[in-house]
Amino acid sequence: MPSLLEVRDLVTRFYSEGAVIHAVNGVSFSLDTGASMAIVGESGSGKSVTVMSLMRLVRFPPGRIEGGEVIFEERDLLRLSEEEMRRIRGNRIAMIFQDPMTSLNPVLSIGLQMTEGLRAHLGLGERAARDRAAEMLSLVGLPRPKERLDDYPHQFSGGQRQRIMIALALSCNPALLIADEPTTALDVTVQAQIVELIQGLREKLGMAVIWISHNLGLVAGVVDKVAVMYGGHIVEQSPVDELYEHPRHPYTLGLLKAIPKMDGRDQGRLFSIDGMPPDLRRPPESCPFAPRCIYAVDRCRQALPPLDELGAGQSVRCWRADEVAALNVAGAMR
Amino acid sequence: MRTAEHKDVLVRVEDLKVHFPILRGLLKRQVGAVRAVDGVSFDLFQGETLGLVGESGCGKSTTGLAMLRLLDPTSGRIVFGGRDVASLDQRELRASRKHMQMVFQDPYSSLNPRMTVGSIIIEPLNVHKIGTPAERRGRVQELMRLVGLNPSFINRYPHEFSGGQRQRIGLARALATNPSLIVADEPISALDVSIQAQVVNLMADLRGQLGLTYLMVSHDLSMVRYISDRVAVMYLGRIVELGRRDPVFDTPRHPYTRALLSAIPTPNPKRERERRRIVLQGDVPNPANPPSGCRFHPRCPLATDVCREADPALRNIGGLPDGPPHLVACHHAENV
Amino acid sequence: MTTYILRRLLVSIPILLGITVIVFFVASKMPGDAVLAMISTETPQAEDLIKLRRGQLGLDLPLYVQYGRWLWQLLQGNLGYSFQTGESVIDILLARIPATLQLMGTALLIAIVLGVAMGVVSALKQYSRTDYTFTFLGFAGISIPDFFLGMVLVYLLAIQWPLFPTSGISTAGEPYSLVDNLRHLALPALALGLVRTATFMRYTRTSVLEVMNNDYVRTARAKGLSEWLVVVRHILRNALIPVVTVIGLTLPVLFGGSVIIEMIFQWPGIGLMFIGAVTARDSPVIMGYVLFSAVMVQASNLLTDMAYSFLDPRIRYD
Amino acid sequence: MIATSSEPLAAGAEPMPTGESLWAKARKRFFRHKLAVLGLVVLTVLVLMAVLAPLIERYSPIDLDLGSMSQAPSAAHWLGTDTTGRDVWSRIVHAGRVSLSVGLVAVSISTFIGVLIGGISGYAAGKVDMALMRFTDIVMAFPSLVMIITIASVLGPSIYNTMLVIGILTWPGIARLVRGQFLSFREQQFVLAARSIGVTPFQIMVRHLFPNVVGTVTVAATFGMANAILQEASLSFLGLGVQAPTPSWGNMLQDAQSHAILEGTPWLWIAPGLMIALAVLSINFIGDGLRDALDPRSVH
Amino acid sequence: MKTRKTLIAASAALVALSLLVSPLMASAQAKTDKTIRQAFRTGCMAGPLYTTCGNRLDETVLQGLAHVTWKGDGVKALLAESWSTPDKGATWIFKLRKGVKWHDGKPFTADDVVFSYNTYADPAVASIIANNLSDVKGYEEFRSGKASSLSGVSKIDDHTVKFELNGPRPLWVELKQIYFSILPKHILGDVKPSELARSPFWTQNRVGTGPFKWSKYVPDQYVEVVRNDDYFLGKPKADRIVYRIFADIPSILNALAANEVDVMSYEGGGIPVSDIERMQKVPTLTVLPNVDAGLPTYLQFNFAQPFLKDVRVRQAMIYAIDREKIIATVRKGTGKISNTMFPATWAQSPSLNPYKYDPVKAKQLLKEAGWDSSRKIDFIYYYADQVNKDTVTAIQAYLAAVGVNIVPRLLNPAEIQTVYKDGTFEMGYFANGQGLDPSLGALTSTCGAQLSFTYCNKRVDELYDLGLSESQREKRAPYYQEISKILNEEAFRGWLWYEVRPLAFNKRVIGASEHYAEMPTLIFNLPVYNEVEKWDVK
């Protein structure tokens, strides 16, 4: 059975003020129907641009998708007409965003914002669309959904807005939901609510989910596999247990060690990754992580390592992956 | 981490209240108040780090600002060095700034974009007329080295630095006058994970080197757990639980603390999958109109009638005899 | 909302009072007075006539008494009588306000429609040739004095190619017809409106560009909406809110501009009346004009704010 | 930019110190704005012409030659002569001095008043702010041209009164702008930080707030100057501005009011009209460029 | 991208807008009736009581007992049939025309006349032309409140009115009587005198006796009057006259050129000479480029200034200016050189000093007078049109060439009287004159007269009074000639030239241009009988 989504060598660049920003530099991954994965990375690692690219929401100017394929349900999204692509967006692939405060249009009622997608994709009439919208709102646990359809976004709390965003995204029964840092702007307790909600809905509706996050902890319990991005590249991709137990890439390792453990006692000094992320205006020809990597050798500073398939769905982009793994036998788990 | 010796109280906060008036009507009369901080008391011991945690809007940042009187408290006392900061006049207050400093959350807006790094760091020295001009310049270099910045960048502007570096500049500014207290308001929340650790480590090092006392305001519980000696948990303008770090984290006695802790994800897929979260229902109520009785009762899984009626006081529930008490404001603390 | 409006109205009272006081005293400092202005330059006049007439008009009283009288009359709903013609100032204003409103309204409409359309296109095609052309045209528009544009329009479109009448609001002595009226309106409204198009264009462009980068626009696209819906419903709807403010800001400027344009086109509005009143030192009429324009400006500010809260549900005044 | 607004797109947002000051960056951005550069070039030429007027004039701008009235442009008179035989080129050049200095002085006056009142209002807040803003509202609610006409007829027409009148009636815009900026900067953490280290309110205003509004004020002043030049033209058109025989672009244009001149001797109006449009246009372009260059939001 | 749709919508809106104002939709108005469209000045609506231009409508609506004829050679009897004086001008008996009806049908009687003169004189009315009645008996008493009416005006019978004067005034009808239009007592009799200015009579229903009836006044736009079939001099030929109100000259010229108005008489000084050529090119217009305004233009000296008291200084200034050149260039060849006060040639001395342009002599004279060329002279003027501004510029240049430096200052109309009164100027560029006859109006050089600016020559005053005592031109001429000679020699004013008032008329109007073409000198500020009832439209 073919994958639901197959991304191959995706390249996206931005042209701004005379500079070229190499945001995504050949990203490949695949996702099966109903499966879930996470793309993890820090600001500027290219994780958001990757999913924006596959939704073809990168606007030119300044951004342009310059290469690769995005095979979704056996069609290459990058080769569809704008009209065909529009029929997929919000319908087969839906997306929710980081900041529920700004992702809803402040001057339009929730009802209108929820129904416009339904009407465009499912051809529902106004009545039917409103009914469906209310149904979706109650599905995401919003009380009194029918009455609240005429309210405006500012009349809801942050958590409620994110619920509305989820309802909106799922209203056309998408095969794939992309959740772009959906909980970052929310408080811990609300985060938990939202994660539970998406997780529950995924099981209920059987859709695939891509989580975008900078927080390795957040996605640990909810995905099947994880891709770690750094400097516009996927540096490591593994089934979830494997990644947390045996991180192969020094960056993954560093990230895991930089997080203080909630269950530990005194941990001594916190592990820190010195230096700063690479400047994507001048992307290195070599391993992008090399300047910050405690394991880096000359080779790392000379050439970009390939994404090595290690079997069992694990792959890593590091010249010294084996050695690193050996040096950290215990992994990051404590 | 080192555990501080709890003997000298550096700051004593007593029944601190910060209310923001709500004005309405033709003549803008006050019709109510947002009770951002509504009766908070705690001691801050010399050399310790107190973590102040809670969700957004719980009043933790307001408490921090009011402690330094960057916001005027509505009532209450803040005793620092034998004097009530809340009642100092402007001149005395400015002089007292030398001893208590702040590190801000946003590394972007907390540095004046039109000033060089050098002039930002030297400003407190100029304001308090510490040393000769030459000494001040030397001090700036020293401070920059102390926080891990290359002193050759002294004439650069903030926008040329990364978030982590800016936070270091902010730290250097705060340390310039050799303060004894630093209030850090979410100092790392705007930084990337890999940078956060750098700043946290730096702050921990500085505390050791300079004998600083920190009030660490944060919503990041894992970081608080890492850096604090004691932890205070705030909910809707009140402290609901206050005690030494490990007891609070390991055996929380307030249902809210428990829910808060259970919500924190850990990077361990197996444990995460098995874990049962306590998912709180609903949202934080409006601080202008807090619920009767225990403010947490509408969301509390353990709430009973008494919670709806009586406002629970902070009470000691099994702190160690020789150490600071473990305070909880819950009628049912024993059952949690 | 009602309290808000009430409070705003209360606040506007001292503003209006301040304006009238200042204008009254400044106007009284103008050299000459209404009586002298009425006398022909060539005819020497007897002193006693001048004195008599001054007494009749109350010009011999101390200034503060004159102002007090004016204010007292105002409280009784009377704006006084023209020194020049003896007509009631209210009647004078009422007879001319519709003409000015028609001119200003049409000019504003031209400026808004053209400006917003150009601004939207410019923003959607940022950095394109169209964008640059519109930007250039827009700036060229605000760089030309409106009176000069008016003169050129008359010269070209009324005299060289007589498509439009040279001046007036309708053909004198003919019964009113809308077509006739609109033909007279065309040139002055264009002269007044075109030069202000750029303001709206710039604001719209900036605003659209800003809104385009908002998360909710991305949301709308992610929903798979057609570009038309995204632009009209999600971008324009939000982008035009700040443009509403510009209408409020443009009004005082339009009042000024319409004075000159009304002069060039002999448009029988209050601007023409005002110039005449200044020349004649007809202070009741000057005061009437100033009061009216100040009230208009205050009202438009209030309306702008109310429109704001209507367009943006987040804004609620109380 | 696109994509996520809260996540800085480029990892390049974390550069090593580049050694570029904000001004240097602004300068770079300004010079990328083609129209602004064009405006700067044109304005420089105009200013040079005005400064060098005594050197590049070919006749006296005031002496007439009734023997050669209303002559079309020729080698002797590059831009022709006016209705009293004065050389239009020489007058244009001299008028540039007048018009540009009217614009400059007027905008200096209005900027000074505006920054002062706006600054005090924005920092002091409370009752002082209330009072100052009501006063600003009063001045703002005057239809400015109308007030200018009234005041100009009180003061009498002269070049200095023109500057003064335009200056004292156009400051409310700048005052509001400065006040707004002060209010928003007051909420910025760096002001809180300054307070936290004990900086006095006056020092906060001068050292922390003011430098941050310089850019915005510069932009506003630039547009203000363009506007002042137009106002001068309007005033002179009404005969209330700069008085003959001193030439200004405005009163030269007023001389072309007659359709006889519009039709028969177009060089009399094309030249000053073009100069006004050129000057105002180039200043506006510069303002636009400055706005792009100095916009704090465009600073990464 | 569907931004195209935005564009289409926007341009559609524009097209709709432009269609709305499309000239194609406005067919040329079919003017079936005979309408004369005349340009009219703004600010003249208050009627003859309150504005000097208020009597401009009186030739068509209100009328007086007698108006000045359009040829300027006498007085035309209108509401009066005839008049006589039994005692060389101290008493005047006016026989009124019988059968005249007001426009509302009421008969016109002597009561109206008595009422009208009392109204003009009434201090509570404060008419600005009241002082033209100062010769009438009882005027002083009425003005000072000692009497409640004008004792010198009385009704003899319904069609006879008697005027008693303070002494013999042989030219009283020609000089004073003509100013006053008769007002309807049956309408205005009940209006409180102090409220008269505000009466809707002036704007809504100006009932008169003239050839046209008041029909409509639209503020700032036009006044429409329609034919009075019962006019006592015969039914007018035109159906109506539309006086279109203009606030400035360029707009009148535009309207004339675009065939929007037919008649521009002397509104606002006529066509600026700079525009004559352009107007002459308009095929539909008859342009009268050289209508004499009877108005000498001159340099005014303020004799209160010591430095202007030396006659050599004044003469030098006249010698210094090349008036021929200015006329030929700046003034486009219009106007003729003037060397004294009176435009009428019969009143001028044949031996006037022509003050030919002679800068050498000017310098010589100034040197003799010890002139200080560093002095800056405050020089006022009030004609703001281009030609006069250029003229001032030229004068400034000529004077500067001999070392006299003037600083021109443009006055607003409202300031002029103040400056006159306070004498706050040093020199000026003025125009003022006696028009047709030196005895019309007052002599401005009289000792103590406002416009003499402290100049005083008893002999001149004496001669002028002698002139007023005679009613025949031949007898008056020698006195006036002597005055002209004295003023010329003493350089009372620096006379420059006599102004012209170029006029234009649309050829479709018959009668108007013909009349004005025959005018020897244009008369203004007086009700003139222009035979409007005989004007016709092609």
Side-chain angles (χ1 to χ4, degrees), chain C residues 31-32 36 38 40-42 45 49 52 56 85-86 96 124 159 163-167 169 173-174 183 228 266 268, chain E residues 3 5 23 26 123-124 127-128 143 197-198 219-222 240 244 246-248 251 254 260 414 416-418 432:
Chain C
L36 296 177
M38 229 176 274
S40 145
T41 50
E42 280 92 13
Q45 292 297 324
L49 279 176
L52 244 161
Q56 211 176 39
T85 64
R96 290 159 177 85
L124 293 180
I159 295 178
L163 299 173
F164 296 99
T166 55
S167 58
I169 190 172
E174 296 300 321
R183 288 189 59 220
W228 170 252
Q266 299 293 300
Chain E
T3 50
K5 273 192 186 170
S127 163
I128 61 160
R143 295 301 276 187
R198 267 172 224 172
D220 286 354
Q221 295 185 48
Y222 63 91
R240 56 177 188 152
R244 189 159 152 209
F246 288 93
D248 70 350
S251 310
N254 291 340
E260 291 169 23
I416 298 164
Q417 288 290 336
T418 320
N432 190 297

Side-chain angles (χ1 to χ4, degrees), chain E residues 7 28-29 66 134 165 197 241 266 302-303 350 370 381 392 445 472 507:
Chain E
L7 253 177
Q29 260 110 18
S134 57
L165 308 184
I241 300 178
Y266 37 78
N302 185 350
F303 290 89
Y381 67 110
V392 170
S445 66
Q472 278 171 330
K507 288 173 180 157

